[in-house]
Amino acid sequence: MSNTPASSGTAQSPSCNTASAAPSDTASGGNSSTPAPRLASDSVASASGAFPASVTPISTLTPVPADLTPFNTLGLRSRAEHYVRIDDPAQLPALSALAARHGRVLVLGGGSNMVLPAEVNGLVAHMALRGVRLVEQRADAWIVEAAGGEVWHDFVQSCLAQGWDGLENLSLIPGTVGAAPVQNIGAYGVELDSRFESLTAWDVTKREWVHMDRADCRFAYRDSRFKHETAGRWIIVAVRFALPRPWRPVLDYPDLQRHAGLAEATAAGAPARLSARSIADAVCDIRRAKLPDPARIGNAGSFFKNPIVDTAQREALAARFPGLVSYAQPDGRYKLAAGWLIDQCGWKGRSLGAAGVHERQALVLVNRGGAQAADILALARAIQADVQARFGVALEAEPVVVGG
Protein backbone atom coordinates (compact mmCIF):
# COMPACT_ATOMS: atom_id res chain seq x y z
CA MET A 1 0.00 0.00 0.00
CA SER A 2 1.55 3.27 -0.96
CA ASN A 3 0.36 5.50 1.81
CA THR A 4 1.96 5.89 5.13
CA PRO A 5 1.75 7.84 8.34
CA ALA A 6 3.67 11.05 8.78
CA SER A 7 3.62 14.73 9.01
CA SER A 8 5.34 15.97 5.89
CA GLY A 9 9.03 15.91 6.60
CA THR A 10 8.95 16.01 10.41
CA ALA A 11 8.15 13.08 12.61
CA GLN A 12 8.15 14.87 15.92
CA SER A 13 6.31 17.91 17.22
CA PRO A 14 8.19 20.57 19.22
CA SER A 15 6.56 19.34 22.45
CA CYS A 16 4.32 16.47 23.37
CA ASN A 17 1.32 18.64 24.20
CA THR A 18 1.79 21.14 21.38
CA ALA A 19 0.37 20.46 17.94
CA SER A 20 2.91 20.45 15.15
CA ALA A 21 2.71 22.82 12.22
CA ALA A 22 3.20 20.07 9.68
CA PRO A 23 0.92 20.07 6.66
CA SER A 24 -1.86 17.52 6.46
CA ASP A 25 -1.82 14.34 4.40
CA THR A 26 -3.84 11.07 4.26
CA ALA A 27 -3.94 7.39 3.18
CA SER A 28 -6.33 4.65 2.06
CA GLY A 29 -8.63 1.58 2.69
CA GLY A 30 -12.32 0.36 2.43
CA ASN A 31 -15.23 -1.92 1.42
CA SER A 32 -19.10 -1.92 1.32
CA SER A 33 -21.14 1.03 0.08
CA THR A 34 -21.77 4.02 2.38
CA PRO A 35 -22.79 7.68 2.05
CA ALA A 36 -20.28 10.48 1.59
CA PRO A 37 -18.66 11.75 4.82
CA ARG A 38 -20.52 14.37 6.83
CA LEU A 39 -19.43 17.84 7.90
CA ALA A 40 -17.14 17.84 10.94
CA SER A 41 -19.27 20.51 12.61
CA ASP A 42 -17.93 19.58 16.05
CA SER A 43 -14.36 19.88 14.84
CA VAL A 44 -11.72 20.52 17.46
CA ALA A 45 -8.97 20.70 14.86
CA SER A 46 -7.74 23.85 13.16
CA ALA A 47 -9.61 22.98 10.00
CA SER A 48 -12.88 23.85 8.34
CA GLY A 49 -13.98 20.22 8.29
CA ALA A 50 -13.57 17.44 5.77
CA PHE A 51 -17.05 15.90 5.81
CA PRO A 52 -19.57 17.84 3.70
CA ALA A 53 -23.24 17.00 4.07
CA SER A 54 -23.42 16.57 0.30
CA VAL A 55 -20.56 16.26 -2.12
CA THR A 56 -20.87 18.07 -5.42
CA PRO A 57 -18.13 16.53 -7.55
CA ILE A 58 -15.39 18.77 -8.86
CA SER A 59 -15.16 17.95 -12.53
CA THR A 60 -11.49 18.69 -13.12
CA LEU A 61 -8.23 18.03 -11.31
CA THR A 62 -5.01 19.07 -13.03
CA PRO A 63 -1.77 17.22 -12.24
CA VAL A 64 1.46 19.23 -12.03
CA PRO A 65 5.15 18.29 -11.68
CA ALA A 66 6.30 18.26 -8.05
CA ASP A 67 9.38 17.69 -5.91
CA LEU A 68 8.52 14.93 -3.42
CA THR A 69 11.69 15.32 -1.37
CA PRO A 70 9.90 17.36 1.35
CA PHE A 71 7.13 14.76 1.47
CA ASN A 72 9.20 11.78 2.67
CA THR A 73 10.88 11.77 6.07
CA LEU A 74 13.90 9.83 4.78
CA GLY A 75 14.64 12.94 2.74
CA LEU A 76 15.23 10.91 -0.43
CA ARG A 77 15.42 13.00 -3.58
CA SER A 78 12.29 12.19 -5.54
CA ARG A 79 10.15 13.82 -8.18
CA ALA A 80 6.73 13.22 -9.74
CA GLU A 81 5.57 14.49 -13.12
CA HIS A 82 1.89 14.08 -12.24
CA TYR A 83 1.00 15.32 -8.74
CA VAL A 84 -2.35 16.39 -7.27
CA ARG A 85 -3.25 17.53 -3.78
CA ILE A 86 -6.59 16.36 -2.39
CA ASP A 87 -8.07 18.65 0.26
CA ASP A 88 -11.77 18.24 -0.55
CA PRO A 89 -13.77 14.98 -0.86
CA ALA A 90 -15.45 16.54 -3.91
CA GLN A 91 -12.16 16.04 -5.78
CA LEU A 92 -12.25 12.26 -5.45
CA PRO A 93 -14.44 11.49 -8.48
CA ALA A 94 -12.04 13.55 -10.60
CA LEU A 95 -9.16 11.62 -9.05
CA SER A 96 -10.80 8.38 -10.18
CA ALA A 97 -10.98 9.73 -13.73
CA LEU A 98 -7.29 10.66 -13.63
CA ALA A 99 -6.39 7.27 -12.19
CA ALA A 100 -8.13 5.54 -15.07
CA ARG A 101 -5.96 7.49 -17.52
CA HIS A 102 -2.65 7.08 -15.69
CA GLY A 103 -3.16 3.45 -14.72
CA ARG A 104 -1.21 3.77 -11.48
CA VAL A 105 -1.78 5.89 -8.36
CA LEU A 106 0.60 6.48 -5.48
CA VAL A 107 -1.42 7.70 -2.50
CA LEU A 108 0.92 9.84 -0.44
CA GLY A 109 0.39 10.79 3.18
CA GLY A 110 3.33 12.23 5.08
CA GLY A 111 5.85 9.76 3.68
CA SER A 112 7.25 8.60 7.02
CA ASN A 113 6.93 4.92 6.17
CA MET A 114 7.92 5.01 2.53
CA VAL A 115 11.01 4.60 0.37
CA LEU A 116 10.60 6.74 -2.75
CA PRO A 117 12.54 6.32 -6.00
CA ALA A 118 14.20 9.24 -7.79
CA GLU A 119 11.33 9.37 -10.30
CA VAL A 120 7.79 8.31 -9.44
CA ASN A 121 5.87 7.22 -12.52
CA GLY A 122 2.11 7.48 -12.70
CA LEU A 123 -0.14 9.73 -10.65
CA VAL A 124 0.70 10.90 -7.13
CA ALA A 125 -2.31 11.86 -4.98
CA HIS A 126 -1.24 13.77 -1.88
CA MET A 127 -3.99 13.62 0.75
CA ALA A 128 -4.76 16.71 2.85
CA LEU A 129 -8.32 16.24 4.15
CA ARG A 130 -8.84 17.76 7.61
CA GLY A 131 -11.35 17.66 10.46
CA VAL A 132 -11.96 16.06 13.89
CA ARG A 133 -15.29 15.57 15.67
CA LEU A 134 -16.98 13.70 18.48
CA VAL A 135 -19.54 11.40 16.87
CA GLU A 136 -21.04 9.77 19.94
CA GLN A 137 -20.63 9.61 23.70
CA ARG A 138 -21.44 6.04 24.71
CA ALA A 139 -21.35 4.53 28.17
CA ASP A 140 -18.36 2.40 27.18
CA ALA A 141 -16.52 4.67 24.74
CA TRP A 142 -16.05 8.04 23.09
CA ILE A 143 -16.53 7.62 19.34
CA VAL A 144 -14.22 10.15 17.70
CA GLU A 145 -13.85 10.66 13.96
CA ALA A 146 -10.85 12.25 12.24
CA ALA A 147 -10.18 13.05 8.61
CA GLY A 148 -7.44 11.03 6.96
CA GLY A 149 -5.16 14.01 6.44
CA GLU A 150 -4.93 14.97 10.11
CA VAL A 151 -1.40 14.69 11.47
CA TRP A 152 -1.51 11.72 13.85
CA HIS A 153 0.30 13.27 16.80
CA ASP A 154 -1.78 16.45 16.57
CA PHE A 155 -4.93 14.33 16.56
CA VAL A 156 -3.78 12.47 19.69
CA GLN A 157 -3.05 15.78 21.41
CA SER A 158 -6.45 17.23 20.50
CA CYS A 159 -8.16 14.12 21.90
CA LEU A 160 -6.25 14.44 25.18
CA ALA A 161 -7.16 18.12 25.39
CA GLN A 162 -10.85 17.18 25.08
CA GLY A 163 -10.62 14.42 27.67
CA TRP A 164 -10.96 11.65 25.07
CA ASP A 165 -8.21 9.46 26.48
CA GLY A 166 -6.92 6.15 25.16
CA LEU A 167 -4.42 7.07 22.44
CA GLU A 168 -1.69 8.44 24.72
CA ASN A 169 0.63 5.44 24.24
CA LEU A 170 0.62 6.23 20.50
CA SER A 171 1.89 9.79 21.00
CA LEU A 172 4.55 11.18 18.67
CA ILE A 173 4.19 8.44 16.07
CA PRO A 174 4.86 10.21 12.78
CA GLY A 175 2.09 10.10 10.28
CA THR A 176 -1.44 10.86 9.34
CA VAL A 177 -4.68 9.44 10.63
CA GLY A 178 -5.60 7.94 7.27
CA ALA A 179 -2.37 6.03 6.99
CA ALA A 180 -2.48 4.63 10.53
CA PRO A 181 -4.85 1.73 9.70
CA VAL A 182 -2.75 0.76 6.68
CA GLN A 183 0.23 0.08 8.93
CA ASN A 184 -1.84 -0.82 11.99
CA ILE A 185 0.46 1.39 14.01
CA GLY A 186 1.28 0.54 17.60
CA ALA A 187 3.63 1.43 20.42
CA TYR A 188 4.18 0.91 24.14
CA GLY A 189 1.52 -1.73 24.60
CA VAL A 190 -1.28 -0.28 22.48
CA GLU A 191 -2.12 -1.24 18.90
CA LEU A 192 -4.34 0.86 16.66
CA ASP A 193 -6.76 -1.99 16.04
CA SER A 194 -7.61 -2.05 19.76
CA ARG A 195 -8.92 1.53 19.45
CA PHE A 196 -10.35 1.27 15.92
CA GLU A 197 -14.10 1.44 15.30
CA SER A 198 -14.48 1.90 11.51
CA LEU A 199 -13.36 3.90 8.52
CA THR A 200 -14.89 5.63 5.53
CA ALA A 201 -13.07 5.47 2.22
CA TRP A 202 -13.34 6.20 -1.46
CA ASP A 203 -13.02 3.29 -3.87
CA VAL A 204 -10.99 4.82 -6.70
CA THR A 205 -11.82 1.98 -9.07
CA LYS A 206 -15.56 1.68 -8.45
CA ARG A 207 -16.00 5.41 -7.75
CA GLU A 208 -18.08 4.93 -4.62
CA TRP A 209 -17.96 5.57 -0.89
CA VAL A 210 -17.21 2.54 1.29
CA HIS A 211 -17.41 1.66 4.97
CA MET A 212 -15.16 -0.83 6.76
CA ASP A 213 -15.14 -2.20 10.30
CA ARG A 214 -12.28 -3.88 12.15
CA ALA A 215 -12.91 -7.33 10.70
CA ASP A 216 -12.98 -5.94 7.16
CA CYS A 217 -9.54 -4.39 7.63
CA ARG A 218 -7.93 -7.74 8.51
CA PHE A 219 -5.46 -6.19 10.92
CA ALA A 220 -2.29 -8.01 11.96
CA TYR A 221 1.02 -6.95 13.44
CA ARG A 222 2.01 -3.81 11.47
CA ASP A 223 -0.21 -5.07 8.70
CA SER A 224 -3.67 -4.82 7.16
CA ARG A 225 -5.47 -5.81 3.99
CA PHE A 226 -4.44 -2.51 2.40
CA LYS A 227 -0.83 -3.64 2.16
CA HIS A 228 -1.85 -6.61 0.07
CA GLU A 229 -4.37 -5.11 -2.34
CA THR A 230 -3.89 -2.97 -5.42
CA ALA A 231 -1.96 0.15 -4.46
CA GLY A 232 -3.96 3.33 -4.86
CA ARG A 233 -7.39 1.70 -4.98
CA TRP A 234 -8.56 2.91 -1.59
CA ILE A 235 -8.46 6.44 -0.19
CA ILE A 236 -9.08 6.57 3.56
CA VAL A 237 -11.14 9.70 4.02
CA ALA A 238 -12.04 9.37 7.72
CA VAL A 239 -11.34 7.01 10.62
CA ARG A 240 -13.48 6.47 13.71
CA PHE A 241 -11.95 5.48 17.03
CA ALA A 242 -13.63 3.94 20.08
CA LEU A 243 -11.78 5.41 23.07
CA PRO A 244 -12.65 3.39 26.17
CA ARG A 245 -14.70 4.67 29.09
CA PRO A 246 -13.74 4.43 31.85
CA TRP A 247 -10.13 5.07 30.90
CA ARG A 248 -7.46 2.71 32.22
CA PRO A 249 -3.71 3.27 31.83
CA VAL A 250 -1.71 0.74 29.81
CA LEU A 251 1.67 0.42 31.53
CA ASP A 252 2.81 -3.08 30.60
CA TYR A 253 5.71 -1.91 28.44
CA PRO A 254 9.05 -2.02 30.35
CA ASP A 255 10.18 1.43 29.15
CA LEU A 256 7.08 2.99 30.68
CA GLN A 257 7.62 1.16 33.95
CA ARG A 258 11.21 2.44 34.08
CA HIS A 259 10.33 6.04 33.22
CA ALA A 260 11.10 8.33 36.16
CA GLY A 261 7.86 10.27 35.77
CA LEU A 262 5.75 7.12 36.03
CA ALA A 263 7.90 4.86 38.22
CA GLU A 264 6.72 6.26 41.56
CA ALA A 265 3.04 5.66 40.89
CA THR A 266 3.74 2.28 39.29
CA ALA A 267 5.93 1.12 42.17
CA ALA A 268 3.35 2.27 44.70
CA GLY A 269 0.70 0.26 42.95
CA ALA A 270 -1.37 3.35 42.39
CA PRO A 271 -1.92 3.66 38.63
CA ALA A 272 -5.13 5.56 39.39
CA ARG A 273 -2.88 8.52 40.22
CA LEU A 274 -1.68 8.58 36.64
CA SER A 275 -3.27 10.64 33.91
CA ALA A 276 -3.36 10.05 30.19
CA ARG A 277 -1.38 13.27 29.80
CA SER A 278 1.43 12.03 32.07
CA ILE A 279 1.67 8.82 30.03
CA ALA A 280 1.71 10.78 26.77
CA ASP A 281 4.52 12.95 28.12
CA ALA A 282 6.48 9.88 29.17
CA VAL A 283 6.04 8.28 25.75
CA CYS A 284 7.28 11.46 24.10
CA ASP A 285 10.33 11.52 26.40
CA ILE A 286 11.14 7.90 25.57
CA ARG A 287 10.68 8.32 21.84
CA ARG A 288 12.85 11.44 21.70
CA ALA A 289 15.61 9.70 23.65
CA LYS A 290 15.62 6.74 21.27
CA LEU A 291 14.63 8.05 17.86
CA PRO A 292 16.18 10.77 15.71
CA ASP A 293 14.17 13.74 14.48
CA PRO A 294 13.73 13.57 10.67
CA ALA A 295 13.98 17.36 10.58
CA ARG A 296 17.64 16.90 11.55
CA ILE A 297 18.52 13.60 9.89
CA GLY A 298 16.33 11.77 7.40
CA ASN A 299 14.79 8.53 8.65
CA ALA A 300 11.62 6.47 8.46
CA GLY A 301 11.48 5.47 12.11
CA SER A 302 11.77 1.75 12.80
CA PHE A 303 12.78 0.21 9.49
CA PHE A 304 12.24 -3.44 10.45
CA LYS A 305 9.39 -5.28 12.13
CA ASN A 306 10.12 -7.19 15.31
CA PRO A 307 10.06 -10.82 14.14
CA ILE A 308 7.67 -13.25 15.80
CA VAL A 309 8.83 -16.83 16.41
CA ASP A 310 7.40 -19.93 18.04
CA THR A 311 8.40 -21.13 21.50
CA ALA A 312 10.82 -23.78 20.23
CA GLN A 313 12.77 -21.31 18.12
CA ARG A 314 12.84 -18.75 20.91
CA GLU A 315 14.15 -21.33 23.42
CA ALA A 316 16.82 -22.52 20.98
CA LEU A 317 17.96 -18.94 20.38
CA ALA A 318 17.95 -18.12 24.12
CA ALA A 319 20.16 -21.14 24.77
CA ARG A 320 22.72 -19.86 22.24
CA PHE A 321 22.32 -16.18 23.08
CA PRO A 322 21.51 -15.69 26.80
CA GLY A 323 20.93 -11.96 26.36
CA LEU A 324 18.17 -12.48 23.80
CA VAL A 325 15.44 -9.86 24.17
CA SER A 326 11.97 -11.30 23.60
CA TYR A 327 8.38 -10.66 24.62
CA ALA A 328 5.67 -13.28 25.13
CA GLN A 329 2.63 -12.86 22.89
CA PRO A 330 -1.01 -13.73 23.69
CA ASP A 331 -0.94 -16.61 21.18
CA GLY A 332 2.02 -18.30 22.88
CA ARG A 333 4.63 -17.11 20.41
CA TYR A 334 7.41 -14.61 21.09
CA LYS A 335 8.30 -11.27 19.58
CA LEU A 336 12.04 -10.75 19.24
CA ALA A 337 13.61 -7.30 19.53
CA ALA A 338 14.86 -6.64 16.01
CA GLY A 339 17.04 -3.79 17.25
CA TRP A 340 18.88 -6.16 19.58
CA LEU A 341 19.47 -8.66 16.76
CA ILE A 342 20.86 -5.91 14.51
CA ASP A 343 23.04 -4.51 17.29
CA GLN A 344 24.48 -7.96 17.98
CA CYS A 345 25.55 -8.11 14.34
CA GLY A 346 27.55 -4.92 14.85
CA TRP A 347 25.49 -2.60 12.68
CA LYS A 348 24.63 0.17 15.16
CA GLY A 349 26.32 3.38 14.01
CA ARG A 350 27.71 1.87 10.80
CA SER A 351 27.15 3.16 7.27
CA LEU A 352 27.16 1.96 3.69
CA GLY A 353 27.76 4.99 1.56
CA ALA A 354 25.23 7.72 2.34
CA ALA A 355 22.92 5.34 4.24
CA GLY A 356 23.56 4.37 7.84
CA VAL A 357 22.26 2.84 11.05
CA HIS A 358 21.51 5.30 13.82
CA GLU A 359 23.94 5.45 16.73
CA ARG A 360 21.26 5.16 19.43
CA GLN A 361 18.70 2.87 17.80
CA ALA A 362 19.76 0.02 15.53
CA LEU A 363 16.21 -0.29 14.13
CA VAL A 364 16.48 3.12 12.48
CA LEU A 365 18.16 3.57 9.09
CA VAL A 366 19.18 7.12 8.30
CA ASN A 367 20.03 9.26 5.30
CA ARG A 368 23.42 10.76 6.11
CA GLY A 369 23.10 13.14 3.19
CA GLY A 370 22.32 12.60 -0.47
CA ALA A 371 21.16 9.00 -0.13
CA GLN A 372 18.74 7.57 -2.67
CA ALA A 373 16.40 4.62 -2.43
CA ALA A 374 19.04 2.20 -3.74
CA ASP A 375 21.41 3.16 -0.89
CA ILE A 376 18.79 2.60 1.81
CA LEU A 377 17.71 -0.73 0.32
CA ALA A 378 21.30 -1.97 -0.09
CA LEU A 379 21.93 -1.29 3.60
CA ALA A 380 18.66 -3.00 4.58
CA ARG A 381 19.58 -6.11 2.56
CA ALA A 382 23.03 -6.29 4.16
CA ILE A 383 21.50 -6.12 7.65
CA GLN A 384 18.90 -8.75 6.79
CA ALA A 385 21.59 -11.09 5.47
CA ASP A 386 23.72 -10.78 8.63
CA VAL A 387 20.77 -11.33 10.98
CA GLN A 388 19.67 -14.35 8.98
CA ALA A 389 23.17 -15.82 8.97
CA ARG A 390 23.73 -15.38 12.71
CA PHE A 391 20.30 -16.02 14.18
CA GLY A 392 18.37 -17.81 11.45
CA VAL A 393 15.71 -15.10 11.70
CA ALA A 394 14.28 -13.20 8.74
CA LEU A 395 13.78 -9.47 9.21
CA GLU A 396 10.92 -7.86 7.32
CA ALA A 397 11.06 -4.19 6.36
CA GLU A 398 8.23 -1.95 7.59
CA PRO A 399 8.28 0.84 4.97
CA VAL A 400 6.55 0.57 1.62
CA VAL A 401 9.11 0.48 -1.19
CA VAL A 402 7.72 2.41 -4.14
CA GLY A 403 8.77 1.37 -7.62
CA GLY A 404 9.90 3.93 -10.18
Side-chain angles (χ1 to χ4, degrees), residues 242-283:
L243 306 182
R245 301 178 67 201
W247 172 79
R248 293 182 179 86
V250 178
L251 299 170
D252 299 334
Y253 205 83
D255 279 0
L256 291 177
Q257 296 172 8
R258 290 191 293 264
H259 186 270
L262 303 179
E264 182 180 353
T266 303
R273 294 165 50 191
L274 297 173
S275 67
R277 169 61 64 193
S278 65
I279 294 174
D281 289 344
V283 168

Side-chain angles (χ1 to χ4, degrees), residues 270-348:
R273 294 165 50 191
L274 297 173
S275 67
R277 169 61 64 193
S278 65
I279 294 174
D281 289 344
V283 168
C284 290
D285 289 345
I286 294 166
R287 290 186 69 89
R288 289 197 181 97
K290 286 186 172 184
L291 302 173
D293 185 347
R296 295 194 171 100
I297 183 166
N299 73 87
S302 298
F303 199 89
F304 298 101
K305 297 179 182 181
N306 291 316
I308 296 177
V309 300
D310 60 27
T311 301
Q313 186 175 6
R314 185 262 177 192
E315 290 178 352
L317 285 169
R320 292 174 55 205
F321 307 100
L324 181 74
V325 179
S326 63
Y327 305 97
Q329 301 300 291
D331 63 2
R333 296 185 297 171
Y334 285 83
K335 182 186 295 183
L336 305 183
W340 185 89
L341 301 175
I342 296 166
D343 193 11
Q344 294 301 300
C345 291
W347 276 105
K348 185 185 285 187

Side-chain angles (χ1 to χ4, degrees), residues 51-106:
F51 318 118
S54 63
V55 174
T56 302
I58 295 173
S59 59
T60 60
L61 196 58
T62 304
V64 296
D67 179 10
L68 302 182
T69 307
F71 300 136
N72 75 99
T73 61
L74 267 167
L76 302 177
R77 289 172 292 178
S78 183
R79 183 171 179 79
E81 285 302 314
H82 307 285
Y83 166 95
V84 293
R85 177 182 169 89
I86 304 297
D87 53 20
D88 187 331
Q91 296 169 302
L92 294 174
L95 176 65
S96 286
L98 280 177
R101 293 207 301 270
H102 286 273
R104 174 181 174 182
V105 182
L106 169 64

Side-chain angles (χ1 to χ4, degrees), residues 11-12 16 152-153 168-175 186-188 222 255-256 259 280-293 299-302 358 360-361 364:
Q12 299 181 358
C16 195
W152 175 262
H153 179 67
E168 55 281 348
N169 294 54
L170 305 181
S171 295
L172 215 59
I173 292 179
Y188 302 104
R222 301 297 171 270
D255 279 0
L256 291 177
H259 186 270
D281 289 344
V283 168
C284 290
D285 289 345
I286 294 166
R287 290 186 69 89
R288 289 197 181 97
K290 286 186 172 184
L291 302 173
D293 185 347
N299 73 87
S302 298
H358 195 255
R360 295 197 309 271
Q361 175 52 269
V364 177

